[in-house]
Amino acid sequence: MSELIERGGVPEGYKVEVFDGRVIMTPQSPERHWTVRDVEGAVTAAGIARERVFGDVLVTFR
């Protein structure tokens, strides 16, 4: 995975880090932030329990 990152195999607009043997890939953009805030507000306004909504998801590759 480190070789892939070093060769530039990461899509534009994403940040990739290897931490404690895990690959962490996150989008980094104002649009993403605004979208997440809008969705969180809509979920709260709709009365959906926070236990039913996940924002960031960890994907474990084995």
Side-chain angles (χ1 to χ4, degrees):
M1 182 54 80
S2 294
E3 290 177 25
L4 179 64
I5 294 169
E6 289 171 9
R7 287 185 302 186
V10 178
E12 185 176 331
Y14 285 81
K15 178 180 177 183
V16 175
E17 299 173 283
V18 178
F19 179 76
D20 195 27
R22 293 180 183 218
V23 177
I24 301 169
M25 182 173 173
T26 54
Q28 302 290 315
S29 71
E31 293 79 13
R32 179 195 178 274
H33 174 73
W34 299 325
T35 300
V36 169
R37 284 188 51 195
D38 290 348
V39 170
E40 287 174 345
V43 166
T44 301
I48 298 172
R50 72 179 190 176
E51 294 83 14
R52 294 186 56 208
V53 181
F54 297 93
D56 295 315
V57 178
L58 171 66
V59 178
T60 303
F61 297 96
R62 295 180 188 240

